[in-house]
């Protein structure tokens, strides 16, 4: 099949690359000429494991191309995916200007029937607005062509997006059109061979499914952070509690890891957008507001622990920082807990020595050159001469460090563990003061090693 994908960001590139991988002819379109020129040469603007290899292979086979030519993009395929950004407005609602601009573009250039697929995360009712926008544009041209608007939300985890697309848990398709449903079945057939994964439903239910999924996962995280904060005050160990409740199959182990808050492009934006949608529907969603409030508070927990240990005035202090991305296996720093911590430490007068295996260029782009931020070449360099080490992102390379070397090179043997990577007893035996999330008070050193 021929497929057009509007938007060459995270979702658009993964979608286009995976459809091309199974033999479709994919044309990705973007308004950014420099980005398109780079993509044609295999230069990928984001880090996602496996994505570059897929795009390189598709380019070499001629299965994928990139363009800024909107007319060519509309003419290329009957199936048109909309995968442009929906950034939050000031009131928390999703900004649909780019989605509706794509709808106008399709209406402006289409010469025959189209199946228009909303891949972007959009509020309930967006498909109706897309269909109306296309039809209005067609009327202005004096045309009446068949348009089938489908909701096909993505469920991609950053850092595992290729596997998520190629081996999906479910493929949600929202449409009232039998023809569109048939075309979507054909397109997704290569990903649906093992057992039936395609779930057909009405458009509005599909749109709500995406928001409900992300809000549920965000709720689990905020709930565990609430319990972790309570455990800390009661002298309980949240890691033992986590194992105790996770063994219940009704709860499970996924998304019940306490930490310093969630970030990224999805959970924060989608919880806010769903809460805004609730208000527009005259429903007060107290739970969604609480999920968001707990997460915002949790992003300050590490800073509060640091100031309790060192005092509020951090002038002259240097902190090593492990992790900048909001999660491992990505370079994405949108809404990252690291940003809240860094900015709070700077405001208190501290300097930072930071290391992240993928997000350092993104940190450079966000913050530029500044005297109080050194982006280090190795994890060890980040804590050399620092007053303490702060772990913010749970990259695998941080899980088993050389604690003896760390203790020797830190000014003070203090670790703030924002992801509960380390065993408090082990660090105490090594003479390292360890602050974690929900594991009681700091575990004081028990030896002079």
């Amino acid at each position: 099949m021929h497929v057009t994908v509007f938007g060459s960001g995270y979702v658009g590139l993964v979608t286009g690359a995976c459809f091309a991988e199974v033999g479709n002819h994919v044309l990705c379109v973007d308004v950014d000429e420099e980005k398109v020129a780079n993509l044609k040469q295999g230069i990928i603007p984001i880090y996602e494991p496996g994505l570059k290899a897929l795009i390189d292979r598709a380019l070499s086979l001629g299965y994928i191309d990139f363009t800024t030519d909107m007319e060519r993009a509309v003419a290329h395929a009957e199936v048109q995916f909309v995968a442009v950004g929906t950034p939050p407005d000031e009131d928390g609602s999703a900004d649909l200007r780019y989605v509706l601009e794509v709808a106008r573009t399709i209406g402006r250039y289409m010469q025959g029937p189209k199946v228009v697929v909303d891949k972007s995360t959009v509020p309930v009712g967006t498909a109706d607005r897309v269909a109306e926008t296309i039809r209005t544009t067609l009327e202005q041209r004096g045309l009446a062509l068949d348009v089938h608007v489908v909701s096909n939300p993505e469920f991609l985890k950053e850092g595992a997006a290729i596997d998520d697309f190629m081996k999906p848990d479910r493929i949600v398709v929202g449409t009232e059109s039998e023809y569109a449903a048939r075309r979507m079945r054909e397109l997704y057939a290569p990903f649906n061979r093992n057992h039936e994964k395609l779930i057909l439903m009405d458009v509005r239910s599909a749109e709500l499914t995406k928001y409900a999924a992300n809000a549920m996962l965000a709720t689990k995280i905020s709930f565990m952070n609430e319990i972790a904060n309570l455990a800390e005050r009661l002298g309980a160990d949240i890691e033992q509690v986590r194992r105790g409740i996770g063994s219940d199959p009704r709860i499970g182990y996924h998304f019940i890891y306490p930490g310093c808050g969630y970030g990224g492009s999805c959970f924060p934006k989608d919880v806010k957008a769903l809460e805004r949608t609730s208000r527009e529907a005259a429903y007060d969603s107290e739970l969604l507001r609480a999920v968001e409030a707990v997460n915002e508070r949790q992003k300050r927990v590490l800073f509060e622990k640091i100031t309790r240990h060192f005092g509020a005035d951090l002038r002259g202090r240097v902190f090593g920082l492990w992790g900048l991305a909001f999660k491992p296996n990505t370079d994405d720093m949108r809404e990252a807990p690291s940003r809240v911590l860094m900015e709070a430490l700077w405001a208190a007068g501290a300097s930072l020595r930071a290391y992240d295996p993928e997000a350092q260029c993104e940190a450079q782009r966000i913050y530029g050159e500044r005297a109080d931020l050194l982006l280090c070449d190795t994890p060890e360099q980040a804590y050399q001469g620092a007053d303490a080490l702060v772990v913010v992102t749970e990259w695998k390379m941080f899980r088993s460090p050389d604690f003896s070397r760390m203790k020797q090179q830190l000014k003070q043997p203090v670790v703030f563990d924002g992801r509960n990577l380390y065993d408090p007893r082990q660090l105490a035996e090594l003479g390292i003061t360890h602050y974690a999330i929900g594991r009681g008070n700091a575990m004081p050193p028990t030896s002079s090693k």
Side-chain angles (χ1 to χ4, degrees):
M1 293 176 69
H2 284 202
V3 177
T4 292
V5 180
F6 282 90
S8 294
Y10 184 85
V11 174
L13 285 178
V14 172
T15 300
C18 291
F19 278 139
E21 176 69 8
V22 296
N24 296 295
H25 293 268
V26 178
L27 182 60
C28 293
V29 57
D30 203 283
V31 296
D32 187 330
E33 292 184 0
E34 182 179 0
K35 180 194 285 188
V36 167
N38 286 336
L39 286 167
K40 283 175 169 287
Q41 299 175 55
I43 301 171
I44 312 301
I46 58 172
Y47 174 74
E48 176 62 37
L51 179 59
K52 179 169 171 51
L54 258 61
I55 289 179
D56 285 346
R57 183 157 55 244
L59 283 169
S60 69
L61 294 171
Y63 288 172
I64 197 168
D65 197 7
F66 302 91
T67 187
T68 59
D69 186 337
M70 301 293 169
E71 186 172 3
R72 176 192 170 199
V74 175
H76 174 76
E78 178 188 21
V79 180
Q80 308 261 308
F81 277 83
V82 183
V84 294
T86 54
D89 263 342
E90 291 182 7
D91 62 1
S93 62
D95 185 345
L96 295 178
R97 75 180 81 173
Y98 304 117
V99 171
L100 296 178
E101 183 55 38
V102 170
R104 280 187 284 271
T105 297
I106 293 171
R108 189 176 303 125
Y109 293 117
M110 63 185 287
Q111 300 295 332
K114 298 292 180 186
V115 176
V116 179
V117 185
D118 284 337
K119 200 70 173 170
S120 303
T121 301
V122 293
V124 176
T126 298
D128 294 340
R129 294 183 63 183
V130 168
E132 181 60 30
T133 299
I134 294 174
R135 292 191 185 101
T136 299
T137 309
L138 285 171
E139 287 173 4
Q140 293 169 353
R141 296 172 57 202
L143 296 176
L145 301 171
D146 286 339
V147 178
H148 309 270
V149 180
V150 175
S151 174
N152 175 220
E154 53 86 13
F155 298 97
L156 306 176
K157 299 186 295 291
E158 290 193 44
I162 302 302
D163 276 350
D164 285 346
F165 199 103
M166 300 297 287
K167 303 172 185 176
D169 298 318
R170 74 285 205 199
I171 303 164
V172 173
V173 173
T175 181
E176 283 82 28
S177 163
E178 291 185 10
Y179 177 78
R182 191 163 60 249
R183 296 297 280 159
M184 295 298 285
R185 281 194 182 279
E186 293 169 6
L187 182 60
Y188 276 107
F191 312 98
N192 196 33
R193 290 171 62 85
N194 187 287
H195 62 274
E196 182 59 58
K197 301 173 184 176
L198 196 143
I199 304 172
L200 276 174
M201 59 183 71
D202 65 89
V203 172
R204 286 182 170 242
S205 295
E207 290 171 332
L208 183 56
T209 296
K210 168 64 177 181
Y211 277 112
N214 278 354
M216 170 64 82
L217 297 175
T219 300
K220 291 183 74 173
I221 295 170
S222 281
F223 175 80
M224 282 305 291
N225 283 331
E226 283 276 66
I227 300 300
N229 295 335
L230 180 60
E232 197 163 294
R233 287 156 176 81
L234 296 176
D237 185 346
I238 192 61
E239 289 302 305
Q240 297 183 44
V241 174
R242 178 182 62 79
R243 290 192 291 271
I245 67 172
S247 61
D248 185 332
R250 297 170 301 173
I251 298 172
Y253 290 103
H254 295 297
F255 287 87
I256 60 169
Y257 288 85
C260 50
Y262 61 75
S265 62
C266 295
F267 288 4
K269 175 175 69 72
D270 292 352
V271 170
K272 291 175 185 175
L274 186 55
E275 197 273 324
R276 172 67 180 180
T277 297
S278 298
R279 277 185 279 138
E280 291 174 350
Y283 179 74
D284 181 14
S285 182
E286 298 176 62
L287 179 58
L288 292 176
R289 286 205 314 276
V291 168
E292 182 184 354
V294 168
N295 190 58
E296 290 304 307
R297 184 180 66 199
Q298 198 69 14
K299 289 181 180 181
R300 294 192 60 83
V301 162
L302 283 175
F303 178 72
E304 291 166 0
K305 290 178 182 292
I306 290 169
T307 53
R308 280 201 298 271
H309 183 93
F310 289 103
D313 186 355
L314 299 177
R315 285 176 293 183
R317 299 284 186 186
V318 178
F319 293 94
L321 195 67
W322 277 3
L324 297 166
F326 85 93
K327 63 180 284 188
N329 297 320
T330 182
D331 60 354
D332 193 345
M333 289 182 64
R334 285 174 288 184
E335 302 278 351
S338 65
R339 296 177 65 170
V340 175
L341 175 62
M342 293 165 74
E343 290 162 17
L345 289 171
W346 284 329
S351 296
L352 301 175
R353 300 168 63 89
Y355 176 79
D356 188 289
E358 293 298 336
Q360 307 214 148
C361 290
E362 180 66 2
Q364 184 82 57
R365 184 191 69 80
I366 294 169
Y367 293 115
E369 296 285 346
R370 40 187 306 160
D372 50 10
L373 173 61
L374 175 65
L375 296 172
C376 300
D377 296 327
T378 67
E380 292 76 19
Q381 187 184 352
Y383 61 64
Q384 288 172 4
D387 290 280
L389 173 66
V390 189
V391 181
V392 185
T393 312
E394 64 274 31
W395 286 93
K396 286 183 179 179
M397 66 169 53
F398 300 154
R399 292 184 182 179
S400 185
D402 184 339
F403 288 116
S404 296
R405 178 178 178 180
M406 183 188 296
K407 181 182 177 183
Q408 290 173 356
Q409 296 189 350
L410 283 166
K411 283 183 183 177
Q412 301 182 41
V414 182
V415 173
F416 295 90
D417 182 0
R419 297 298 177 183
N420 288 358
L421 295 186
Y422 309 129
D423 181 351
R425 290 181 177 80
Q426 179 190 9
L427 267 65
E429 290 171 0
L430 291 169
I432 298 174
T433 298
H434 177 242
Y435 292 90
I437 306 295
R439 310 200 74 176
N441 297 323
M443 186 68 72
T446 59
S447 77
S448 57
K449 291 181 182 178

